[in-house]
Amino acid sequence: MDWTTCNFRDEKTKSSQRIGEILKGDTFKCSLCSGRGILPRTKITECPVCKGIGTVSLSGPVVVCAYCSGRGAYPARTNLSCTVCNGKGLVRVEKPIEICSHCRGNGKEPGNKLPCLKCKGKGIVKKKQKEEV
Ligand SMILES: [Zn+2]
Ligand SMILES: [Zn+2]
Ligand SMILES: [Zn+2]
């Protein structure tokens, strides 16, 4: 008997980027238009975020925008670009990072839907160095 059958599935769930995960690279697919360069639900409107290119560039450590969950649009299913990431779906952060304890990483101010005041909607704050007492 030769068990060569590989049974495990390699399922790649879309937009499974975790909050607080630093993404590598400096060019990313534009979130607002999903890389098409034109706005969803339109045929010719050029995406204002990537200017029709379909990609955006960000330098430095970037994480998925917590406020819009990386969609680039906020509210969801609109063509309004997220005010936190300007529609890119990604935000620049300063290392070292930690999950914002105020909004628990979801980027929204508890009690309302405005961007969290502490992390400005990123869901991530710069980690404080341990203070020595
Ligand atoms: Zn775009
Ligand atoms: Zn956003
Ligand atoms: Zn926060």
Side-chain angles (χ1 to χ4, degrees):
M1 281 284 223
D2 193 6
W3 293 98
T4 44
T5 324
C6 197
N7 239 347
F8 78 91
R9 271 176 269 166
D10 187 22
E11 280 183 73
K12 276 183 190 165
T13 24
K14 267 188 185 174
S15 67
S16 62
Q17 294 128 321
R18 274 165 293 154
I19 302 285
E21 190 177 16
I22 292 179
L23 306 176
K24 291 200 181 89
D26 49 21
T27 307
F28 303 93
K29 193 168 83 173
C30 175
S31 293
L32 189 63
C33 65
S34 312
R36 280 173 300 177
I38 44 170
L39 288 177
R41 290 170 298 277
T42 71
K43 285 203 174 94
I44 46 157
T45 310
E46 185 180 273
C47 174
V49 176
C50 61
K51 309 216 161 42
I53 307 165
T55 55
V56 290
S57 11
L58 283 100
S59 54
V62 295
V63 296
V64 173
C65 174
Y67 191 58
C68 64
S69 312
R71 288 188 202 97
Y74 192 89
R77 292 190 291 280
T78 64
N79 287 341
L80 299 170
S81 51
C82 169
T83 51
V84 174
C85 61
N86 295 317
K88 292 176 179 174
L90 303 159
V91 283
R92 283 188 62 187
V93 289
E94 263 186 88
K95 282 207 261 188
I97 59 166
E98 66 181 0
I99 304 279
C100 174
S101 55
H102 188 61
C103 63
R104 294 210 186 98
N106 68 22
K108 292 176 191 85
E109 181 70 19
N112 62 47
K113 296 220 163 119
L114 297 170
C116 171
L117 292 173
K118 215 163 173 200
C119 60
K120 298 186 179 67
K122 295 177 182 180
I124 297 295
V125 288
K126 195 174 181 216
K127 197 173 191 170
K128 286 191 204 109
Q129 306 298 109
K130 269 188 190 160
E131 288 168 60
E132 280 179 42
V133 187

